[in-house]
Amino acid sequence: MSEKNDGANRDATKRSARERLQEERQRQKTRDKRRRTLIVASAVVGVLGLATVVGVIAANTGKSGGSKAGPVVAPSGATGKDALAIQTGKAEAKSTLTVWEDFRCPACKSFEDSYRKTIHELEAKGLLKVDYHLVTLIDGNMGGSGSLKGANAAACAQDAGKFTEYHDVLFQNQPQEVDDAYGKNEKLLELAGQVNGLDTPAFRKCVEDGTHNSWVGKSHEAFIAGKFRGTPTVLLDGKNIFADEANPVTPQKLKEQVEGAAKGSGATAADKDADKDADKGADKAAGKASPSAGSGTKAGAKASPSASKTASNGSANRSSTGSSGD
């Protein structure tokens, strides 16, 4: 009986060890998954949230995620070093937001959904300009070509003067990270139908020919050379807005900082327009001929065609570094 009991105890011990090992493996898988997905940290303005995304940083960031064959053709109006940025907003705006994004990146969508309204509002006031840099991290890590083709299509939209609207549509309709839907030109062209006046023969040819593919590849190379750790990387006047994870720059804080910078540099565009109106009124009251009035501040980028969804934001330096997003 003793030998039987000893054998049973050994079997039980072995099973227990196996179970513990399986449990530990499961916990490790959960930790790995958590590092590759969004973690909601706190609510922002009631319905918006912030998240920290921890990705696999070094493994696959050198992959471009698509062919770069052919000449480098920058989209119309591209700016910055090597013309690798697409700028929205007023060029004379005091503050500059630099955004590195991938159209397949879930954390990028979270950032866009959370900050879109604020960014468009500040652009419309002439206080902020945004330099968008498009990269292909997810293609390199997950396979497929949706990051590359989506970025090329967005550059084609820039040629048509519709970048902001199409950029927003792509993020609002972003498929699951594992779904390479944007790798199909048909899907990109279908979504172009949501932007008034974009779906033209010229746009279709640009998308289907991959006119800006090499430009997108060069932008991705600049991202790697910059040693950024993930997407989205978001810099306000060169400073990472998520560097302090305990106190990130929320949409409200972004608004306050940009408005503060504008006040610090003198009157804002709105202030100047108000001054012009006041001057015209004073001139009329004095019986003088009013000088020619300047046009009011126009939005550098139109607002998103649909309302922002509740979402969480990806940390700039600890984000979707080509994670698989299980």
Side-chain angles (χ1 to χ4, degrees):
M1 290 294 293
S2 177
E3 291 180 358
K4 290 182 179 179
N5 288 337
D6 289 343
N9 289 337
R10 285 195 297 270
D11 290 343
T13 300
K14 289 179 180 178
R15 285 196 300 273
S16 178
R18 285 196 299 270
E19 290 169 356
R20 287 197 300 270
L21 179 58
Q22 290 173 348
E23 290 173 357
E24 178 57 31
R25 286 175 176 170
Q26 184 60 42
R27 283 194 293 269
Q28 183 61 45
K29 285 178 64 178
T30 301
R31 287 194 293 267
D32 290 342
K33 181 177 180 180
R34 188 177 297 115
R35 285 197 298 268
R36 297 192 301 267
T37 55
L38 299 176
I39 303 172
V40 177
S42 60
V44 177
V45 195
V47 296
L48 300 179
L50 295 175
T52 298
V53 180
V54 181
V56 180
I57 293 171
N60 294 307
T61 53
K63 298 180 181 180
S64 66
S67 171
K68 299 179 294 173
V72 175
V73 180
S76 176
T79 187
K81 184 179 179 182
D82 296 327
L84 294 178
I86 294 176
Q87 188 173 98
T88 64
K90 295 282 187 179
E92 63 271 20
K94 173 67 176 178
S95 297
T96 302
L97 196 69
T98 303
V99 182
W100 296 81
E101 290 183 317
D102 183 326
F103 286 109
R104 288 181 69 187
C105 161
C108 298
K109 173 178 170 56
S110 295
F111 166 75
E112 285 294 334
D113 287 348
S114 298
Y115 289 75
R116 181 182 298 117
K117 181 179 179 181
T118 299
I119 289 172
H120 288 336
E121 178 184 337
L122 294 170
E123 286 179 324
K125 290 180 178 179
L127 306 181
L128 180 71
K129 58 181 176 288
V130 185
D131 287 341
Y132 289 99
H133 297 263
L134 309 179
V135 299
T136 58
L137 278 177
I138 307 302
D139 284 358
N141 287 290
M142 298 292 294
S145 59
S147 300
L148 174 66
K149 290 189 175 182
N152 171 69
C156 294
Q158 169 68 9
D159 290 338
K162 303 284 186 179
F163 172 79
T164 297
E165 298 95 320
Y166 190 60
H167 164 276
D168 290 353
V169 165
L170 287 180
F171 276 117
Q172 289 165 342
N173 292 273
Q174 185 189 78
Q176 292 294 314
E177 189 179 13
V178 295
D179 180 2
D180 191 33
Y182 287 173
K184 300 177 178 63
N185 289 334
E186 294 82 2
K187 182 64 176 179
L188 298 169
L189 294 172
E190 173 192 327
L191 292 175
Q194 296 186 24
V195 179
N196 186 38
L198 178 58
D199 189 5
T200 64
F203 175 77
R204 283 179 168 266
K205 186 176 190 306
C206 183
V207 170
E208 291 167 351
D209 291 351
T211 299
H212 301 298
N213 281 0
S214 293
W215 175 82
V216 175
K218 191 170 183 180
S219 177
H220 183 84
E221 289 173 355
F223 175 80
I224 295 172
K227 301 186 184 302
F228 300 114
R229 297 181 65 189
T231 54
T233 290
V234 185
L235 313 173
L236 177 61
D237 295 325
K239 184 177 179 181
N240 180 355
I241 71 172
F242 302 115
D244 183 357
E245 294 184 6
N247 187 32
V249 178
T250 64
Q252 180 60 32
K253 289 179 182 177
L254 175 65
K255 181 178 180 180
E256 292 170 357
Q257 290 184 18
V258 170
E259 290 177 340
K263 290 179 181 178
S265 64
T268 66
D271 292 333
K272 292 177 181 177
D273 285 344
D275 289 342
K276 287 180 182 178
D277 291 339
D279 289 342
K280 284 200 298 180
D283 287 341
K284 289 180 179 179
K288 298 178 181 178
S290 173
S292 175
S295 60
T297 301
K298 296 179 180 179
K302 294 182 179 179
S304 163
S306 64
S308 298
K309 300 176 181 179
T310 301
S312 54
N313 166 56
S315 169
N317 271 350
R318 301 179 62 200
S319 55
S320 184
T321 57
S323 64
S324 63
D326 290 343

